[in-house]
């Protein structure tokens, strides 16, 4: 089994990863608050943690991967009211939108995908433990708070001091023993959904649900907790506070993915709908968007532009084209092999950019070998590239991407291009070079590249 090193936000260091149970890895990643269609910033987290999961599985581990759905929250209630639909209908609509986006980008479904509203019982149990042991209190207005001063340690993940922490400044401050205490449970307001508790009807706070669901599926202690960098504080700090105050060991290692930025800033809603996953997929294929989002190191900010996306897609098509030509030359799909040097960079905190540098080297060698018809080098380069692409979730031979619809479209385009090429040949044979050139130009203007090879004419989309 490979020795994997991962950066741990909690210790601010890259350290050896040793799972609690030999051969098994348990992961909890904070999922979406389903209140709008996903944009590419949301989906980057999905791609990054899917690469981690694929690498752990390739390294021989069994992985239990939990990603929750936050299906009750202030924003969901506000948007549902604005769209005049029940809150649960709005949540379901966007849960499906996220599922569609994950599927389009070949992000494997989690082992379990719990919804917050399905785990109210576990949340109430957790609050009972916290109130019984004096860590939390119910001031009588229906809210339940965690008393942060009582915690043995707090804010170590984000490296802050409690004395420097400002009050959240929320309206509930009057009921708190300390303005920095945070809500585990919120009393319901008229017209809002609520669930009964011993402290009155209400709904869960965001932090509580993750502690309850992580415990329900992974137990007192688990290996890796992940999420976006923006979740370190307060969300993850508060998850740690709740779970540890309840006597649990909770996460052993914390991983955070960086953001997709525009003009150096975290992507914002002000960009409108143009960066929604389904909109971007009108410009590039799912495999190309995934390649782009996965290409940066997960801890590096990814500055988005459509130019960079297009460039990345063109670079990916070169690799894909080589694999297709290699398959044609070899008479079979290349194997998937993990090269030792690729394993080494992935074991070093998932250093994908270094992995891509290796892919470039193999591509160069592979293309030269194709020209020279050197079968063993073509085979080796192609199998190393395919092995790497498989870990990145971008294997062009993966049935997810080579869907039936695409295959039948390919076939149809194949026939149309053959027809055009026959007409070009006819024009040439009757020495009508103007007509032959016009056909060639029309094909080129469609962005289709024609290549004459010893095995016939082949086409690709530029
Ligand atoms: Zn969470």
């Amino acid at each position: 089994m490979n020795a994997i090193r991962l950066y741990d936000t909690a210790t601010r260091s890259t350290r050896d990863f040793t799972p609690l149970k030999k051969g098994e890895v348990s992961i909890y990643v904070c999922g979406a608050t389903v209140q709008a269609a996903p944009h590419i910033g949301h989906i980057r987290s999905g791609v990054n943690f899917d690469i981690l999961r694929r690498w752990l599985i390739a390294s021989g581990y069994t992985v239990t991967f939990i990603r929750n759905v936050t299906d009750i929250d202030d924003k969901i209630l506000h948007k549902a009211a604005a769209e005049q639909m029940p809150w649960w209908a709005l949540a379901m609509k966007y849960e499906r939108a996220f599922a569609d986006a994950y599927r389009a980008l070949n992000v494997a479904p989690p082992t379990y995908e719990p919804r917050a509203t399905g785990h109210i019982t576990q949340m109430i149990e957790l609050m009972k433990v916290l109130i019984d042991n004096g860590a939390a209190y119910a001031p009588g207005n229906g809210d339940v708070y965690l008393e942060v001063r009582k915690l043995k340690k707090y804010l170590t993940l984000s490296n802050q001091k409690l004395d420097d922490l400002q009050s959240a400044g929320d309206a509930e401050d009057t009921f708190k023993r300390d303005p920095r205490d945070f809500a585990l449970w919120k009393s319901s307001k008229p017209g809002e959904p609520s669930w009964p508790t011993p402290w009155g009807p209400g709904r869960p706070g965001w932090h509580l649900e993750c502690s309850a669901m992580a415990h329900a599926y992974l137990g007192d202690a688990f290996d890796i907790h992940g999420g976006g960098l923006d979740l370190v504080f307060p969300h993850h700090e508060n998850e740690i506070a709740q779970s540890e105050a309840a006597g649990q060991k909770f996460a052993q290692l914390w991983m955070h993915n960086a953001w997709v930025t525009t003009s150096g800033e975290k992507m914002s809603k002000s960009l409108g709908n143009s960066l929604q996953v389904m909109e971007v997929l009108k410009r590039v294929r799912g495999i190309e968007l995934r390649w782009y989002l996965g290409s940066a190191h997960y801890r590096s900010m990814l500055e988005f532009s459509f130019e960079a996306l297009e460039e990345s897609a063109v670079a990916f098509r070169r690799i894909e084209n080589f694999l297709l030509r290699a398959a044609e030359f070899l008479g079979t799909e290349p194997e998937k092999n993990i090269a030792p040097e690729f394993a080494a960079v992935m074991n070093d905190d998932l250093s994908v950019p270094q992995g891509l540098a290796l892919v470039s080297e193999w591509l160069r060698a592979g293309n030269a070998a194709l020209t020279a018809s050197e079968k063993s080098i073509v085979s080796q380069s192609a199998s190393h590239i395919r092995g790497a692409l498989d870990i990145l979730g971008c294997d062009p031979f993966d049935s997810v991407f080579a869907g039936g619809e695409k295959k039948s479209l390919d076939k149809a385009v194949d026939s149309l291009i053959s027809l055009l090429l026959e007409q070009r040949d006819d024009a040439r044979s009757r020495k009508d070079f103007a007509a032959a050139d016009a056909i060639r130009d029309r094909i080129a203007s469609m962005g289709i590249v024609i290549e004459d090879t010893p095995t016939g004419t082949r086409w690709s989309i530029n």
Side-chain angles (χ1 to χ4, degrees), residues 39 262-263 265-275:
H39 60 60
T262 42
S263 313
E265 304 279 327
K266 183 173 182 248
M267 249 179 59
S268 70
K269 289 225 174 59
S270 61
L271 289 163
N273 297 338
S274 66
L275 296 183

Side-chain angles (χ1 to χ4, degrees), residues 113-422:
E113 191 167 21
R115 294 190 187 111
T117 54
H119 297 77
I120 304 289
T121 310
Q122 289 86 344
M123 295 181 214
I124 293 173
E125 289 301 318
L126 180 55
M127 285 191 286
K128 276 183 185 161
V129 172
L130 293 170
I131 289 176
D132 286 350
N133 72 16
Y137 59 96
N141 67 335
D143 293 347
V144 180
Y145 295 104
L146 198 86
E147 192 166 7
V148 294
R149 274 190 186 283
K150 294 256 179 84
L151 299 169
K152 282 194 211 87
K153 67 176 176 90
Y154 184 45
L155 306 175
T156 54
L157 191 67
S158 56
N159 206 17
Q160 302 178 85
K161 288 196 179 72
L162 184 58
D163 287 338
D164 298 337
L165 198 64
Q166 303 289 312
S167 154
D170 41 23
E172 289 80 18
D173 267 6
T174 46
F175 294 99
K176 293 180 184 175
R177 291 181 186 166
D178 183 311
R180 294 163 300 188
D181 292 348
F182 63 86
L184 301 177
W185 191 261
K186 299 173 177 184
S187 62
S188 61
K189 296 177 183 67
E192 283 185 357
S194 69
W195 289 262
T197 76
W199 315 285
R203 57 188 174 88
W206 174 34
H207 315 306
L208 184 73
E209 59 182 71
C210 281
S211 281
M213 288 186 276
H215 187 254
Y217 293 91
L218 300 176
D220 268 11
F222 57 94
D223 295 308
I224 299 173
H225 195 314
L229 200 55
D230 46 332
L231 300 187
V232 174
F233 179 81
H235 186 53
H236 288 163
E237 289 287 11
N238 291 353
E239 283 189 35
I240 295 171
Q242 296 158 161
S243 298
E244 292 193 354
Q248 299 165 20
K249 291 199 172 70
F250 209 49
Q252 305 300 295
L253 191 142
W254 286 84
M255 291 178 75
H256 291 96
N257 66 281
W259 302 328
V260 176
T261 57
T262 42
S263 313
E265 304 279 327
K266 183 173 182 248
M267 249 179 59
S268 70
K269 289 225 174 59
S270 61
L271 289 163
N273 297 338
S274 66
L275 296 183
Q276 281 178 1
V277 173
M278 290 306 167
E279 287 302 310
V280 176
L281 287 180
K282 290 176 183 166
R283 295 184 178 230
V284 295
R285 294 175 297 154
I287 197 170
E288 292 163 350
L289 179 56
R290 175 163 179 138
W291 176 258
Y292 173 72
L293 292 174
S295 62
H297 191 272
Y298 74 92
R299 289 195 287 119
S300 303
M301 297 292 173
L302 178 64
E303 173 64 20
F304 177 82
S305 70
F306 279 108
E307 293 73 33
L309 174 64
E310 293 291 344
E311 274 172 33
S312 161
V314 169
F316 178 75
R317 278 174 228 149
R318 263 184 234 125
I319 300 166
E320 186 180 33
N321 209 19
F322 164 70
L323 285 179
L324 296 175
R325 286 171 61 204
E328 211 171 83
F329 174 69
L330 298 168
T332 177
E333 283 181 9
E335 287 175 30
K336 286 188 262 189
N337 285 328
I338 303 291
E341 56 269 48
F342 184 76
V345 300
M346 289 304 285
N347 282 335
D348 180 16
D349 194 29
L350 311 177
S351 296
V352 171
Q354 280 90 323
L356 298 188
L358 292 169
V359 169
S360 295
E361 282 174 30
W362 294 323
L363 180 64
R364 222 172 296 128
N367 274 323
L370 262 184
T371 310
S373 297
E374 288 170 311
K375 201 166 181 177
S376 68
I377 300 177
V378 171
S379 169
Q380 197 192 38
S381 311
S383 71
H384 284 169
I385 291 176
R386 200 177 164 208
L389 262 53
D390 184 44
I391 297 299
L392 301 176
C394 295
D395 176 8
F397 296 104
D398 192 323
S399 58
V400 172
F401 296 120
E405 192 189 357
K406 186 184 175 294
K407 274 192 178 149
S408 57
L409 267 179
D410 277 358
K411 251 181 141 178
V413 176
D414 228 32
S415 314
L416 286 169
I417 290 172
S418 301
L419 184 68
L420 286 168
L421 292 176
E422 275 168 30

